[in-house]
Amino acid sequence: MKLTGSQIRQLRSMCNQLKPTVSIGKAGVEAVVASTEEDLEAHELVKCTVQGTSGLDTREAADALAELTGATVVQVIGHKFSIYRETSRKDVEKIELR
């Protein structure tokens, strides 16, 4: 999904209040794909952190996880990044993108 500049700014501002729910460690990105899928379906916007033991650059991890889950990278700062994917669930309140 291609996001516009204003939509990315909106999602970035929403990321400020989030705590990281996905942690990428020594096992790599593939180990967290299933839990990330669940989080994306439940919340649409997920903040992740990359541990120093992973051996991955934060941008590489963000791009890999976004590709594996069909999400879009919203921002990368330090060892944290956020990804977004619209949920297909009807019981979840969706983020209204401008």
Side-chain angles (χ1 to χ4, degrees), residues 34-54:
S35 65
T36 305
E37 289 275 353
E38 291 172 9
D39 286 349
L40 285 168
E41 281 298 313
H43 305 290
E44 292 189 325
L45 186 62
V46 176
K47 187 181 261 187
C48 309
T49 185
V50 180
Q51 304 296 321
T53 60
S54 71

Side-chain angles (χ1 to χ4, degrees), residues 3-13 96-98:
L3 298 172
T4 65
S6 65
Q7 290 171 332
I8 289 174
R9 282 190 298 278
Q10 176 187 359
L11 291 170
R12 280 183 181 168
S13 70
E96 296 283 331
L97 293 177
R98 294 179 252 149

